[in-house]
Amino acid sequence: MPLTFAAPDAAAIPLHLLAEDAVQPWLDTQSDTVKHWASAQGFTGAIGQALTCPGADGISVAAIGYGTAATRKRGRFHLAAGATRLPSGTYDLKHTLDADTRDVEALGWLLAAYRFDRYKDQSAMKAALIAPEGTDATRIEAIANGEALSRTLINTPASDMGPPDLEQAARDLAEKFNAQISIIAGDDLLAQNFPMIHTVGRAADRAPRLIDMQWGNNGPRLTLVGKGVCFDTGGLNLKPGASMGLMKKDMGGSAAVLGLAQMIMATDLDIRLRVLIPAVENSVAGNAYRPGDILTSRKGLTVEINNTDAEGRLVLADALALADEDKPNLIISMATLTGAARVAVGPDLAPYFTDSDPVATALETAARTQADPVWRMPFHDPYEAMIEPGIADLDNAPKGGFAGSITAALFLRRFVTETPYMHFDIYGWQPSDAPARTKGGVGQGTRALFAALPDALKP
């Protein structure tokens, strides 16, 4: 179900967003009935508290706690924290927020209404919000629904989200926005020189493929490349069971770029967009690729396989080489690539790499206004030797365990030689319920990128 704001309603319930130090001044202006109900419900303005006061025809007024500046720093989407506790009704937000914060809180309300209900009915959120005055409702709805697409794709298990299903999701998106799409699958990957995508996916019973979607006729050229490993067993370097449990989310990079693409197309940005997704399963069979194999990439670089569980960088490499041949204004790759990134920054931050300071500045400026935290990591040139095994041009899994996210990013950078490049090593998963972010698949970095694009794509 699309995430949308409620239609304007003259009978909507006034909803006040109150920091702790604003509660008493507000109560001083209210009736004795409101004061009584605030006292009876123990409303102090703490984050997540919801106050509803009865009137002659239902709820007369409502409030949500906004805490203190110190407590707000410890989380995001504080309006959403209380919105899920409100009873059914249409609410009209009263606030004193600046424009950026207002829009983030309105977005959070929409995201709080997201439900993954493909396999089990989920109770819908009861409260609906009228778009706050001054909010670009169409833009906020586009962001929310792009994020919802990413979440749903990640949440869907590999039984229903294999390479053909991911292709269909891309086709559905292309049809919705009149984009062009083409697919190279199976042995045609070899015929058209995508050998590493084919190698990683050839052991699965669902054929590997490269999804290529293009949209837009005007503006700078942006290419998004998303890792589409629909399930990762680790290959012959088999993962332990505990590590395999979340591998339905290993296509989180592809889910992220499709969500971002939806935001771009739904708002009709002046961008010539291309989305490339190598969609594979890393499976175990007699024809699976082996540790010690040496592969030749589309770019001509040879790669020694020291671990078949470092497969994401292999499929991305061929797609990045294709993207680079086209020489767009910017290439962005997104992937659930390394555990090392999670060790470095945890599940909540989206680490990224770029050699472009202007692009990084545009991204981080946008991230601060979008409640979408990112963290810049270094393309540290002295570590280049760590990915050079001697027997081949590149090593897909350097031994030693140091700087795993950086060496993976350096590996990918070898395949982009003609174009400005940015790489995200995301987690794509919310470990536990939080305001506006239910446990499960989640978009990371996409809202910040969407907001940054006009500046990031400047010459």
Side-chain angles (χ1 to χ4, degrees):
M1 180 178 294
L3 304 178
T4 60
F5 291 109
D9 185 350
I13 301 163
L15 174 64
H16 296 266
L17 187 60
L18 299 173
E20 290 183 20
D21 60 4
V23 172
Q24 191 56 53
W26 176 73
L27 286 173
D28 289 342
T29 68
Q30 302 299 307
S31 67
D32 289 342
T33 300
V34 171
K35 293 174 183 176
H36 168 76
W37 277 92
S39 176
Q41 295 184 42
F43 185 76
T44 64
I47 287 175
Q49 283 190 318
L51 169 69
T52 53
C53 303
D57 299 313
I59 299 171
S60 63
V61 67
I64 286 177
Y66 206 49
T68 65
T71 56
R72 289 194 294 274
K73 286 182 179 180
R74 296 172 67 92
R76 290 180 272 168
F77 301 122
H78 306 302
L79 178 64
T84 56
R85 296 182 169 92
L86 291 173
S88 181
T90 298
Y91 293 84
D92 184 11
L93 185 64
K94 311 298 181 183
H95 65 89
T96 57
L97 304 174
D98 63 78
D100 288 335
T101 306
R102 174 203 64 205
D103 287 353
V104 164
E105 298 296 358
L107 172 66
W109 185 296
L110 296 186
L111 292 177
Y114 171 80
R115 298 290 185 272
F116 181 65
D117 55 6
R118 178 167 178 172
Y119 304 98
K120 179 183 177 181
D121 289 339
Q122 306 287 344
S123 58
M125 185 169 155
K126 298 176 181 178
L129 181 70
I130 297 170
E133 185 178 355
T135 295
D136 185 339
T138 299
R139 179 181 176 86
I140 300 299
E141 289 174 347
I143 294 171
N145 286 289
E147 165 76 13
L149 173 62
S150 297
R151 293 183 183 188
T152 295
L153 293 174
I154 296 170
N155 285 331
T156 304
S159 54
D160 293 318
M161 190 49 64
D165 306 290
L166 186 54
E167 174 189 329
Q168 188 59 53
R171 287 188 180 277
D172 291 344
L173 187 63
E175 181 178 2
K176 183 176 181 180
F177 293 103
N178 198 29
Q180 297 179 337
I181 190 167
S182 61
I183 310 296
I184 304 170
D187 289 344
D188 286 345
L189 290 165
L190 294 176
Q192 298 191 45
N193 193 25
F194 298 99
M196 294 206 296
I197 298 174
H198 182 274
T199 296
V200 172
R202 71 190 182 200
D205 59 0
R206 295 182 283 188
R209 63 206 65 207
L210 177 66
I211 301 164
D212 186 349
M213 183 175 74
Q214 300 187 49
W215 173 89
N217 299 309
N218 302 300
R221 296 161 63 212
L222 171 68
T223 299
L224 305 176
V225 182
K227 176 185 170 184
V229 178
C230 296
F231 195 83
D232 181 19
T233 67
L236 293 178
N237 290 114
L238 194 68
K239 291 178 181 288
S243 298
M244 213 182 295
L246 273 183
M247 283 301 99
K248 70 175 184 179
K249 79 170 185 66
D250 212 23
M251 41 64 68
S254 64
V257 299
L258 287 173
L260 176 56
Q262 176 163 317
M263 297 176 200
I264 290 169
M265 294 187 291
T267 52
D268 201 25
L269 291 189
D270 285 332
I271 288 174
R272 286 175 287 172
L273 175 67
R274 188 179 195 185
V275 178
L276 296 172
I277 297 173
V280 303
E281 290 180 81
N282 189 23
S283 297
V284 178
N287 64 339
Y289 73 118
R290 299 160 291 262
D293 285 355
I294 295 180
L295 310 181
T296 300
S297 68
R298 178 180 182 85
K299 195 119 181 143
L301 296 171
T302 54
V303 181
E304 182 180 15
I305 304 303
N306 281 309
N307 192 324
T308 62
D309 195 20
E311 85 298 330
R313 66 201 69 184
L314 302 177
V315 299
L316 285 171
D318 273 354
L320 286 169
L322 174 64
D324 195 42
E325 292 163 14
D326 202 32
K327 299 182 181 179
N329 295 84
L330 179 64
I331 295 172
I332 301 172
S333 61
M334 304 193 80
T336 52
L337 202 63
T338 71
R342 309 291 76 73
V343 173
V345 300
D348 204 36
L349 290 164
Y352 74 96
F353 299 78
T354 182
D355 286 321
S356 171
D357 290 338
V359 170
T361 298
L363 177 69
E364 294 191 2
T365 299
R368 285 191 290 271
T369 67
Q370 303 300 311
D372 191 14
V374 300
W375 196 264
R376 189 177 185 181
M377 300 279 279
F379 275 131
H380 190 53
D381 292 331
Y383 289 168
E384 288 278 4
M386 295 170 66
I387 60 172
E388 296 169 346
I391 193 173
D393 294 316
L394 295 168
D395 182 341
N396 85 315
K399 292 179 174 60
F402 289 126
S405 182
I406 297 173
T407 55
L410 289 171
F411 181 99
L412 295 177
R413 191 178 65 168
R414 291 289 187 96
F415 295 87
V416 182
T417 57
E418 306 295 327
T419 309
Y421 175 51
M422 173 182 281
H423 165 62
F424 279 79
D425 191 343
I426 62 174
Y427 189 46
W429 191 260
Q430 177 65 30
S432 58
D433 286 338
R437 292 168 291 151
T438 54
K439 179 180 179 180
V442 69
Q444 286 186 295
T446 51
R447 298 195 312 275
L449 279 169
F450 180 63
L453 282 178
D455 289 332
L457 289 171
K458 287 179 179 177

